[in-house]
Amino acid sequence: MDGKLIVFEGVEGCGKTSQIQLCREWLQSLGISVIVTREPGGTELGLHLRRLLLEKAEKQPIAELTELLLYAADRAQHVEQELKPNLAAGKYILCDRYTDSTTAYQGYGRGLNISLINQLNYIATSGLESDLTIWLDVDVEVGLARKQGNGDSLDRIEQEAIAFHKKVQQGYAELAATHPARIIRVDGNSSKEAVQQVIQKVLRLHLQELP
Ligand code: Z5A
């Protein structure tokens, strides 16, 4: 069986981590070899970059272009070190965020130039696209409330104004409309179990070699 890159995307608290864990268990129960990874922070170098990107910088905020380049650097390392070798070994990779996060957050959220972001995404991935991207669509307020209800402190990006997160959400909607074969919208507002059932149906439909 060929390796597959399956990416999970969405706004804060949309349920990516929960759904990835459930998917991992399901795919393993089918006898499939699964790797779970994430961006930023899917490599040792990436863990350092993740800390720099998400820590609250009180005195010297990260410039927007610097932020964009750090996400690209994290991705370049991740693609070379984790994604390509595991795909070549026939693994199913469940990846928490990938190129669409940069378009949604740095492009739509921050307002950086989308064609520059497309070029950087291409350079960082050498053109490696996901086989399928699941966009977990939840209302911004629902996602943020889930995270706050969790008792977790909000990181640098989560603390952005609601308006920022709404622009990110709009970015995902436009990306899904532009790439309907690659990005599948799944309503993430229902229970974890109900969302997982829909994801399994989507994966069966789009990855037809699943046993
Ligand atoms: N970022 C960027 O700007 N540009 C880029 O290129 C990339 C990333 C790659 C780190 O992402 C940040 O980096 C992110 C975007 C930016 N912004 N921030 N912050 P992250 O993925 O590591 O962090 P996150 O987006 O905040 O995700 P998260 O905290 O891991 O949340 P999640 O994975 O979507 O959800 P969860 O952990 O599965 O669930 C959150 C809570 O909701 C938890 O208590 C669950 O039990 C609960 N939950 C989950 N599903 C449900 C349902 N269905 N019902 C009720 N409750 C639920």
Side-chain angles (χ1 to χ4, degrees), residues 84-110:
K84 283 185 179 169
N86 280 306
L87 287 172
K91 305 273 171 71
Y92 267 52
I93 302 177
L94 304 180
C95 186
D96 195 332
R97 299 193 180 282
Y98 193 51
T99 48
D100 296 320
S101 279
T102 313
T103 310
Y105 281 81
Q106 280 64 52
Y108 284 82
R110 302 262 188 249

Short mmCIF file of all heavy atoms in Angstrom, two decimals, residues 84-110:
data_model
loop_
_atom_site.label_atom_id
_atom_site.label_comp_id
_atom_site.label_asym_id
_atom_site.label_seq_id
_atom_site.Cartn_x
_atom_site.Cartn_y
_atom_site.Cartn_z
N LYS A 84 8.67 12.86 3.88
CA LYS A 84 9.13 12.11 2.71
C LYS A 84 9.58 10.69 3.08
O LYS A 84 9.15 9.73 2.43
CB LYS A 84 10.25 12.86 2.00
CG LYS A 84 9.77 14.03 1.15
CD LYS A 84 10.94 14.62 0.39
CE LYS A 84 10.53 15.78 -0.47
NZ LYS A 84 11.73 16.48 -1.00
N PRO A 85 10.43 10.51 4.10
CA PRO A 85 10.86 9.13 4.41
C PRO A 85 9.70 8.23 4.82
O PRO A 85 9.65 7.06 4.41
CB PRO A 85 11.85 9.30 5.57
CG PRO A 85 12.23 10.74 5.58
CD PRO A 85 11.13 11.50 4.93
N ASN A 86 8.76 8.74 5.58
CA ASN A 86 7.64 7.89 6.02
C ASN A 86 6.67 7.58 4.88
O ASN A 86 6.12 6.48 4.81
CB ASN A 86 6.92 8.53 7.21
CG ASN A 86 7.67 8.29 8.50
OD1 ASN A 86 7.97 7.15 8.85
ND2 ASN A 86 8.03 9.35 9.20
N LEU A 87 6.49 8.52 3.97
CA LEU A 87 5.66 8.23 2.79
C LEU A 87 6.35 7.17 1.93
O LEU A 87 5.71 6.23 1.45
CB LEU A 87 5.41 9.50 1.98
CG LEU A 87 4.44 10.50 2.61
CD1 LEU A 87 4.43 11.81 1.82
CD2 LEU A 87 3.03 9.92 2.69
N ALA A 88 7.66 7.32 1.79
CA ALA A 88 8.41 6.34 0.97
C ALA A 88 8.33 4.95 1.60
O ALA A 88 8.35 3.94 0.89
CB ALA A 88 9.86 6.78 0.83
N ALA A 89 8.21 4.90 2.93
CA ALA A 89 8.11 3.60 3.62
C ALA A 89 6.67 3.08 3.65
O ALA A 89 6.37 2.08 4.31
CB ALA A 89 8.65 3.73 5.04
N GLY A 90 5.75 3.78 2.98
CA GLY A 90 4.37 3.28 2.86
C GLY A 90 3.49 3.59 4.06
O GLY A 90 2.41 3.00 4.21
N LYS A 91 3.93 4.52 4.92
CA LYS A 91 3.13 4.82 6.12
C LYS A 91 1.98 5.78 5.80
O LYS A 91 2.08 6.60 4.89
CB LYS A 91 4.02 5.50 7.18
CG LYS A 91 5.26 4.72 7.56
CD LYS A 91 4.96 3.74 8.67
CE LYS A 91 6.10 2.78 8.95
NZ LYS A 91 7.25 3.33 9.58
N TYR A 92 0.95 5.68 6.61
CA TYR A 92 -0.11 6.70 6.61
C TYR A 92 0.31 7.76 7.62
O TYR A 92 0.55 7.43 8.79
CB TYR A 92 -1.45 6.09 7.05
CG TYR A 92 -2.29 5.60 5.90
CD1 TYR A 92 -1.78 4.74 4.94
CD2 TYR A 92 -3.62 6.00 5.77
CE1 TYR A 92 -2.54 4.30 3.88
CE2 TYR A 92 -4.41 5.56 4.71
CZ TYR A 92 -3.86 4.71 3.76
OH TYR A 92 -4.62 4.28 2.71
N ILE A 93 0.40 9.00 7.18
CA ILE A 93 0.80 10.09 8.08
C ILE A 93 -0.43 10.93 8.40
O ILE A 93 -1.10 11.43 7.49
CB ILE A 93 1.87 10.98 7.43
CG1 ILE A 93 3.09 10.13 7.04
CG2 ILE A 93 2.27 12.11 8.36
CD1 ILE A 93 4.18 10.92 6.31
N LEU A 94 -0.70 11.09 9.70
CA LEU A 94 -1.77 11.99 10.13
C LEU A 94 -1.08 13.24 10.65
O LEU A 94 -0.38 13.20 11.67
CB LEU A 94 -2.61 11.34 11.24
CG LEU A 94 -3.24 9.99 10.90
CD1 LEU A 94 -4.05 9.45 12.09
CD2 LEU A 94 -4.15 10.09 9.66
N CYS A 95 -1.25 14.34 9.96
CA CYS A 95 -0.47 15.55 10.26
C CYS A 95 -1.39 16.67 10.74
O CYS A 95 -2.33 17.04 10.05
CB CYS A 95 0.30 15.96 9.01
SG CYS A 95 1.43 17.33 9.30
N ASP A 96 -1.09 17.17 11.93
CA ASP A 96 -1.85 18.27 12.53
C ASP A 96 -1.30 19.59 11.97
O ASP A 96 -0.24 20.03 12.37
CB ASP A 96 -1.63 18.19 14.06
CG ASP A 96 -2.61 19.01 14.85
OD1 ASP A 96 -3.10 20.03 14.32
OD2 ASP A 96 -2.87 18.65 16.01
N ARG A 97 -1.99 20.13 10.99
CA ARG A 97 -1.65 21.37 10.28
C ARG A 97 -0.53 21.15 9.24
O ARG A 97 0.39 20.38 9.45
CB ARG A 97 -1.21 22.51 11.22
CG ARG A 97 -2.30 22.92 12.21
CD ARG A 97 -1.93 24.25 12.89
NE ARG A 97 -2.95 24.66 13.83
CZ ARG A 97 -4.11 25.22 13.51
NH1 ARG A 97 -4.36 25.46 12.24
NH2 ARG A 97 -4.99 25.56 14.41
N TYR A 98 -0.67 21.93 8.12
CA TYR A 98 0.34 21.90 7.04
C TYR A 98 0.20 23.23 6.29
O TYR A 98 -0.14 24.24 6.90
CB TYR A 98 0.08 20.65 6.18
CG TYR A 98 1.17 20.26 5.20
CD1 TYR A 98 2.50 20.13 5.58
CD2 TYR A 98 0.86 19.99 3.86
CE1 TYR A 98 3.48 19.73 4.67
CE2 TYR A 98 1.84 19.59 2.94
CZ TYR A 98 3.14 19.47 3.35
OH TYR A 98 4.11 19.06 2.44
N THR A 99 0.42 23.22 4.99
CA THR A 99 0.51 24.46 4.22
C THR A 99 -0.73 25.36 4.32
O THR A 99 -0.62 26.58 4.30
CB THR A 99 0.73 24.13 2.73
OG1 THR A 99 -0.23 23.13 2.35
CG2 THR A 99 2.12 23.60 2.49
N ASP A 100 -1.92 24.76 4.42
CA ASP A 100 -3.13 25.58 4.46
C ASP A 100 -3.18 26.44 5.73
O ASP A 100 -3.83 27.50 5.73
CB ASP A 100 -4.40 24.72 4.36
CG ASP A 100 -4.49 24.00 3.02
OD1 ASP A 100 -4.14 24.62 1.99
OD2 ASP A 100 -4.88 22.82 3.00
N SER A 101 -2.52 25.99 6.80
CA SER A 101 -2.48 26.83 8.01
C SER A 101 -1.76 28.14 7.72
O SER A 101 -2.16 29.20 8.20
CB SER A 101 -1.73 26.12 9.15
OG SER A 101 -2.55 25.19 9.80
N THR A 102 -0.69 28.07 6.93
CA THR A 102 0.06 29.29 6.63
C THR A 102 -0.79 30.23 5.79
O THR A 102 -0.83 31.44 6.02
CB THR A 102 1.38 28.96 5.90
OG1 THR A 102 2.01 27.89 6.58
CG2 THR A 102 2.30 30.15 5.86
N THR A 103 -1.49 29.66 4.80
CA THR A 103 -2.36 30.52 3.98
C THR A 103 -3.46 31.14 4.84
O THR A 103 -3.75 32.34 4.75
CB THR A 103 -2.99 29.69 2.84
OG1 THR A 103 -1.95 28.97 2.18
CG2 THR A 103 -3.73 30.57 1.85
N ALA A 104 -4.06 30.32 5.72
CA ALA A 104 -5.18 30.82 6.53
C ALA A 104 -4.71 31.83 7.59
O ALA A 104 -5.30 32.92 7.72
CB ALA A 104 -5.91 29.65 7.18
N TYR A 105 -3.66 31.50 8.33
CA TYR A 105 -3.24 32.37 9.45
C TYR A 105 -2.40 33.57 8.99
O TYR A 105 -2.69 34.71 9.35
CB TYR A 105 -2.45 31.56 10.51
CG TYR A 105 -3.34 30.75 11.42
CD1 TYR A 105 -3.84 29.51 11.01
CD2 TYR A 105 -3.72 31.22 12.66
CE1 TYR A 105 -4.67 28.76 11.82
CE2 TYR A 105 -4.55 30.47 13.48
CZ TYR A 105 -5.02 29.25 13.06
OH TYR A 105 -5.85 28.51 13.87
N GLN A 106 -1.32 33.26 8.21
CA GLN A 106 -0.44 34.37 7.82
C GLN A 106 -1.02 35.14 6.63
O GLN A 106 -0.84 36.35 6.52
CB GLN A 106 0.97 33.85 7.49
CG GLN A 106 1.85 33.57 8.71
CD GLN A 106 1.34 32.47 9.61
OE1 GLN A 106 1.04 31.36 9.14
NE2 GLN A 106 1.19 32.74 10.90
N GLY A 107 -1.73 34.42 5.74
CA GLY A 107 -2.32 35.08 4.57
C GLY A 107 -3.61 35.81 4.93
O GLY A 107 -3.65 37.03 4.96
N TYR A 108 -4.65 35.05 5.26
CA TYR A 108 -5.95 35.68 5.55
C TYR A 108 -5.93 36.38 6.90
O TYR A 108 -6.47 37.47 7.04
CB TYR A 108 -7.06 34.63 5.49
CG TYR A 108 -7.41 34.24 4.07
CD1 TYR A 108 -6.65 33.32 3.39
CD2 TYR A 108 -8.48 34.84 3.41
CE1 TYR A 108 -6.95 32.96 2.08
CE2 TYR A 108 -8.79 34.49 2.10
CZ TYR A 108 -8.02 33.55 1.44
OH TYR A 108 -8.31 33.22 0.14
N GLY A 109 -5.32 35.76 7.92
CA GLY A 109 -5.33 36.36 9.25
C GLY A 109 -4.47 37.61 9.33
O GLY A 109 -4.93 38.68 9.68
N ARG A 110 -3.20 37.47 8.96
CA ARG A 110 -2.27 38.62 9.07
C ARG A 110 -2.34 39.54 7.86
O ARG A 110 -1.83 40.66 7.91
CB ARG A 110 -0.83 38.12 9.18
CG ARG A 110 -0.56 37.21 10.35
CD ARG A 110 0.05 37.97 11.51
NE ARG A 110 0.48 37.07 12.54
CZ ARG A 110 -0.11 36.99 13.74
NH1 ARG A 110 -1.15 37.76 14.04
NH2 ARG A 110 0.35 36.15 14.64
#
